[in-house]
Amino acid sequence: MVAYYHEPDIWRKVLSGLRIALDKVGVDVEVVKLVFSVGEGDMLLTKTLLARTAVLSLLSVIPGSCLPALAFDNQINEPGAKTKLSMVQSVSKDATQTAIPNVANMDKTVSPGQDFFEYANGTWLKNTPIPGDYSSWGSFNIVDEKNLATVHKILEQASNNKAAVAGSNEQKIGDFYYTGMDTAKIEADGIKPLEEEMSKINSIKSVDDLQHEIARLHQRGVNVAFAFGSGQDFKDSTAVIGQAMQGGLGLPDRDYYLTQDDNSKKIREQYVTHMTRMFGLLGQDDKAAAANAAKVMALETKLASASYKNVDLRVPEKNYHKMTHAEVKDLTPNFPWPKYLTDVDYPGNFDINVGQPEFMKELDKQLTETSLDDWKEYLTWHLIHSTAPYLSDKFVDEDFDFEGKILNGKKVNLPRWKRVIAATNGGLGEAVGQLFVKETFSADAKARALDVVQKVRAVLKDEMSRLEWMDPETRKNAIAKLDMFKAKIGYPDKWRDYSKLQMNRDSYVGNIFKAEQFEFNRQLAKIGQPVDRNEWFMNAQAVNAYYSAEMNEIVFPAGILQPPFFDAKADDAANLGGIGMVIGHEMTHGFDDEGSKFDGSGNLKNWWSPDDQKHFDERVARIVKQYDGYVVAGDTHLRGKLVSGEAAADLGGLTIAYKALQKSLDGKPQVKDEHGLTPDQRFFLAFAQVWATNYRPEKERLMANTNPHPTAKFRVNGTVANMEAFQKAFGLKDDASIMLPAADRCHLW
């Protein structure tokens, strides 16, 4: 997930990068970047709602089919650090100036039949250490470094342009970036930017006061109590309604509070210690700080116990409970909803989807069972937790010690300029993206990318007409849905209007709050209005992509349409193995167990028969069993059920892209290139090199426990293990260790 990644489909509040975790605009995961770590798959939860919305959207109500395919740990969202730019730039240069695939990255001492990931990437993996300010490092990061350099130049120029027209996007992004880089003022201000909010928290004397402050904090992007925003009505894709979802936790996922293994217990202890230190930085004595940290932990644990598991958040029916305002009030009688809706300027009397009613009931219960004093400490904690990345160094450093080092295994924080870019992308992402596209994305590139989309789409349509596990009526419905399918490439046709967002050079945190308020208001303003099907929920500079079931569309930003994913000058073997697989991945999401729950218009309406579901489940059960057997970091198994949806889409995407290549070759002989590689071999190598990634063990464990995407190695090896075409391309025998026995392989497309 990229610095400013929004996943569509629910409030889409703003920022980047899963809530299964991903986190912080400028800080790493509370994991998921959802979503989504490059490695790929995790969305780092942003601590502010600006950054966290995508995550909560994902985890809270969006079906897995809506998750980004790449969802990587593009850690420009990570806490600051001293990156060795000379090393990063040289790697980035090598990666973007060679052919797809890059034979120099391969390790030919490894057999492709033993470990294809190592065969394709082994030399690169051995020669590419993880920078100290990252928890993983791979192809996504390298491309993102290139994009960052472009955005850095754009923002530096805007920041230094004192002649920018007042109210222009250039003035706004320049002022935002300037305040983030003005370390002298940030240090001098200390905690001053939070004094007004802390005073209001300390003045709480009733549940009504508590509600009022929750509303204020929501508008400022602080994740307290629950998440609130807007999104399409699952059963009426033309309508936008309110969305109330579980939230309010400081750790990445509910299991971090409840799992009883030694590592989870240790992280909980470290989290309490971290809160204690943060309270101390606010001026509390050691005894009071420790007591308040314990209070917060107790309340968050109660909320976690009522939160849905991440696998349940992938099931749309479990997260759809549309209610009138009166019904919401009956569900949570202690929470003054009328006052809350007034405080946030909720438009009219439109219904609200309460994603997880059990969570809301527990929250309502705690409004009376937990003392107001304890609630005040909880709000104080989340205020500082959300804003620490934007405050003075002592707060940034303490925040990084836990979020970066303990949760993600990082050694040092990102340099400030990267963190401030992440925040700027979060607050004014399309204003930055508009300038980014002008410098980087050509009309020829867009046309070539659309050509790849059409090739994959044509093959998928052909395959649907003869799928054995779909009955005739279902195949008819599937083709009708595909015909309604929309592809968005490069950048929006209409850029976002930031005229109501005011920026100045007074305060970094102040600008963060303004951006949060703007986005919160923008989301609520959609309620009761027609769905804007031209809106993008990911920035043009993002190195990522997504499929939205509610919009029935795939979106590929300009940021990802470059090597090793895509090259407008490369042949079909290279582009179909790279971006073609990703396109196929996203497309097949529209026709899997979750895509089947949404029709071509984006309504929650199951168009599969019971037999279709049975046949699909039987095939995917093989993937669940397969991935349950994979181990990362030496001691942690992947969760087959958690990753099965994304693993199935990987397999489907690669299968469809491969068939598109065969159609493109049209029976021509497999002529070897100068390196002795056939088109089929280059296709599979291009696929594997997209996922080249090194991880720290902490990151691998984090992904295994929270991420719906497998880690990079198993995205590659686990996918090809099911494909006879791969076996044939490399001349592997049936007993090659990488291949599954023929009877155990999954065939979906």
Side-chain angles (χ1 to χ4, degrees):
M1 181 159 255
V2 179
Y4 180 64
Y5 164 83
H6 348 192
E7 197 31 62
D9 307 321
I10 170 165
W11 331 283
R12 352 182 197 297
K13 239 177 200 171
V14 184
L15 232 144
S16 139
L18 160 126
R19 206 228 195 245
I20 283 191
L22 310 167
D23 191 90
K24 244 177 200 168
V25 181
V27 166
D28 196 25
V29 59
E30 261 187 45
V31 90
V32 210
K33 229 173 214 142
L34 208 157
V35 240
F36 285 90
S37 122
V38 178
E40 33 195 323
D42 63 91
M43 277 178 61
L44 298 170
L45 284 187
T46 324
K47 289 193 169 173
T48 62
L49 269 187
L50 233 183
R52 191 178 190 104
T53 284
V55 174
L56 291 179
S57 303
L58 273 170
L59 286 206
S60 294
V61 331
I62 293 193
S65 59
C66 295
L67 304 185
L70 309 183
F72 74 100
D73 194 7
N74 134 14
Q75 297 166 27
I76 61 180
N77 281 8
E78 308 194 20
K82 305 300 180 185
T83 301
K84 293 180 173 59
L85 283 182
S86 58
M87 180 276 287
V88 171
Q89 289 169 348
S90 63
V91 172
S92 188
K93 179 178 179 181
D94 291 342
T96 58
Q97 292 186 356
T98 54
I100 304 172
N102 185 349
V103 296
N105 289 352
M106 299 170 63
D107 183 353
K108 294 184 180 180
T109 67
V110 178
S111 166
Q114 179 182 7
D115 188 334
F116 187 58
F117 181 74
E118 288 288 335
Y119 172 76
N121 301 303
T123 297
W124 184 91
L125 295 170
K126 292 173 185 175
N127 295 333
T128 310
I130 303 172
D133 44 350
Y134 288 81
S135 57
S136 61
W137 188 260
S139 299
F140 289 85
N141 302 88
I142 291 171
V143 175
D144 193 62
E145 285 294 311
K146 182 172 179 283
N147 292 356
L148 271 174
T150 301
V151 173
H152 191 197
K153 182 180 73 172
I154 289 170
L155 293 178
E156 285 287 346
Q157 289 174 344
S159 177
N160 292 323
N161 183 8
K162 296 180 181 179
V165 177
S168 66
N169 282 351
E170 186 176 10
Q171 174 258 311
K172 291 173 183 178
I173 64 175
D175 284 0
F176 191 105
Y177 184 77
Y178 178 90
T179 58
M181 296 301 294
D182 188 357
T183 55
K185 188 171 193 310
I186 290 171
E187 289 298 318
D189 283 350
I191 204 67
K192 182 179 178 181
L194 302 184
E195 288 178 351
E196 179 183 3
E197 220 53 56
M198 292 176 67
S199 175
K200 290 184 180 298
I201 291 172
N202 291 331
S203 298
I204 291 173
K205 294 182 173 58
S206 67
V207 170
D208 281 359
D209 291 344
L210 175 61
Q211 165 274 308
H212 181 69
E213 185 56 25
I214 288 173
R216 278 183 58 89
L217 292 173
H218 281 176
Q219 291 171 313
R220 285 152 181 77
V222 181
N223 174 39
V224 290
F226 62 97
F228 194 78
S230 69
Q232 280 174 266
D233 186 335
F234 274 1
K235 293 189 177 181
D236 180 1
S237 63
T238 67
V240 180
I241 61 174
Q243 303 279 353
M245 304 292 160
Q246 68 186 42
L249 303 181
L251 286 172
D253 181 69
R254 47 106 54 198
D255 288 353
Y256 277 75
Y257 295 85
L258 306 176
T259 303
Q260 295 303 313
D261 62 90
D262 290 343
N263 187 56
S264 296
K265 290 178 180 178
K266 182 178 180 181
I267 287 177
R268 288 196 288 271
E269 292 173 359
Q270 291 169 317
Y271 179 52
V272 172
T273 299
H274 169 54
M275 287 192 285
T276 301
R277 289 172 177 163
M278 279 291 203
F279 280 127
L281 292 179
L282 292 178
Q284 297 182 7
D285 62 42
D286 292 347
K287 183 177 180 180
N292 290 331
K295 292 174 183 178
V296 173
M297 187 64 177
L299 178 54
E300 288 189 357
T301 301
K302 291 172 183 176
L303 296 179
S305 67
S307 297
Y308 280 19
K309 295 181 179 179
N310 47 33
V311 294
D312 292 325
L313 291 168
R314 296 185 69 248
V315 182
E317 295 91 342
K318 291 185 177 182
N319 297 278
Y320 182 74
H321 310 92
K322 187 166 72 170
M323 301 181 186
T324 65
H325 292 192
E327 289 170 332
V328 176
K329 178 62 178 173
D330 288 343
L331 178 72
T332 53
N334 294 317
F335 189 78
W337 278 104
K339 293 181 179 180
Y340 175 86
L341 296 176
T342 297
D343 285 344
V344 298
D345 292 327
Y346 192 85
N349 198 38
F350 296 100
D351 291 345
I352 298 171
N353 175 43
V354 179
Q356 300 78 33
E358 293 79 7
F359 172 86
M360 298 304 289
K361 289 179 182 178
E362 179 62 29
L363 172 65
D364 192 66
K365 178 181 176 184
Q366 294 309 318
L367 291 175
T368 56
E369 292 193 359
T370 297
S371 72
L372 287 176
D373 284 343
D374 288 3
W375 271 107
K376 287 193 278 188
E377 299 304 334
Y378 167 85
L379 297 184
T380 299
W381 160 242
H382 279 278
L383 175 63
I384 194 65
H385 185 50
S386 294
T387 56
Y390 318 119
L391 293 171
S392 59
D393 283 349
K394 63 182 181 180
F395 291 98
V396 171
D397 293 345
E398 175 56 38
D399 183 71
F400 176 76
D401 282 346
F402 181 75
E403 300 284 346
K405 293 181 179 179
I406 292 174
L407 285 185
N408 285 278
K410 298 174 192 174
K411 306 303 180 183
V412 292
N413 206 342
L414 284 176
R416 172 167 287 276
W417 67 269
K418 287 189 177 183
R419 288 179 278 145
V420 178
I421 285 177
T424 311
N425 277 335
L428 294 113
E430 287 199 14
V432 177
Q434 189 170 2
L435 297 174
F436 173 85
V437 166
K438 286 181 180 179
E439 293 199 20
T440 63
F441 196 63
S442 69
D444 288 345
K446 184 167 186 172
R448 181 73 171 101
L450 283 169
D451 176 65
V452 176
V453 170
Q454 294 309 320
K455 286 177 177 176
V456 174
R457 180 176 183 160
V459 169
L460 180 56
K461 188 171 184 176
D462 289 344
E463 292 300 307
M464 282 180 179
S465 67
R466 51 179 175 266
L467 275 182
E468 61 181 25
W469 56 269
M470 278 189 182
D471 68 27
E473 184 64 23
T474 303
R475 284 198 293 270
K476 179 181 176 182
N477 291 332
I479 291 171
K481 182 175 181 179
L482 183 61
D483 286 342
M484 298 175 70
F485 181 88
K486 184 175 182 179
K488 295 177 178 177
I489 301 296
Y491 52 87
D493 293 330
K494 181 180 179 181
W495 295 98
R496 182 162 300 156
D497 178 4
Y498 289 100
S499 60
K500 293 183 179 179
L501 175 59
Q502 303 300 311
M503 290 282 121
N504 57 41
R505 300 196 171 195
D506 293 342
S507 166
Y508 187 33
V509 170
N511 280 340
I512 293 286
F513 282 167
K514 289 175 186 176
E516 297 282 358
Q517 178 105 44
F518 169 81
E519 182 60 19
F520 189 91
N521 292 345
R522 192 181 74 85
Q523 293 300 332
L524 292 196
K526 296 178 182 180
I527 296 170
Q529 302 299 314
V531 170
D532 180 1
R533 292 190 173 271
N534 294 315
E535 185 177 9
W536 279 49
F537 306 112
M538 187 175 281
N539 286 334
Q541 61 271 36
V543 187
N544 217 324
Y546 68 83
Y547 169 74
S548 166
E550 291 181 85
M551 300 290 251
N552 193 26
E553 66 182 16
I554 57 170
V555 179
F556 285 83
I560 196 173
L561 294 173
Q562 54 187 300
F565 308 101
F566 170 79
D567 186 342
K569 298 179 181 179
D571 67 1
D572 282 343
N575 281 329
L576 286 167
I579 203 69
M581 172 271 171
V582 179
I583 291 167
H585 171 117
E586 298 294 359
M587 284 187 176
T588 60
H589 265 320
F591 308 95
D592 59 16
D593 60 327
E594 294 182 357
S596 69
K597 297 172 182 177
F598 291 84
D599 65 18
S601 297
N603 294 304
L604 184 59
K605 179 182 179 182
N606 197 326
W607 46 272
W608 275 7
S609 71
D611 282 345
D612 297 323
Q613 185 71 57
K614 177 176 178 289
H615 295 154
F616 183 88
D617 289 346
E618 289 171 350
R619 285 164 171 75
V620 173
R622 298 176 183 180
I623 290 179
V624 173
K625 180 180 178 181
Q626 175 191 358
Y627 283 80
D628 274 340
Y630 292 143
V631 177
V632 301
D635 60 0
T636 304
H637 279 263
L638 294 183
R639 299 184 182 185
K641 190 173 182 180
L642 176 62
V643 304
S644 62
E646 296 303 317
D650 283 345
L651 177 57
L654 192 62
T655 299
I656 296 299
Y658 176 78
K659 292 181 178 181
L661 175 62
Q662 301 314 301
K663 186 174 181 179
S664 175
L665 292 172
D666 194 24
K668 296 174 185 176
Q670 293 270 329
V671 178
K672 294 183 179 181
D673 67 5
E674 67 272 24
H675 302 293
L677 299 171
T678 68
D680 282 10
Q681 289 173 331
R682 290 194 302 111
F683 168 87
F684 285 109
L685 286 166
F687 158 66
Q689 290 188 354
V690 160
W691 303 106
T693 309
N694 278 318
Y695 296 96
R696 300 195 193 281
E698 296 89 344
K699 171 61 71 174
E700 284 193 299
R701 294 188 186 98
L702 186 65
M703 288 186 66
N705 288 325
T706 63
N707 205 294
H709 301 79
T711 52
K713 178 172 183 151
F714 297 115
R715 290 195 85 158
V716 173
N717 290 351
T719 301
V720 301
N722 287 283
M723 294 184 65
E724 182 181 352
F726 166 76
Q727 185 178 353
K728 181 180 178 181
F730 289 90
L732 305 181
K733 296 181 179 180
D734 288 341
D735 62 354
S737 60
I738 196 172
M739 302 303 301
L740 290 171
D744 293 338
R745 295 177 192 175
C746 177
H747 299 284
L748 286 168
W749 301 99

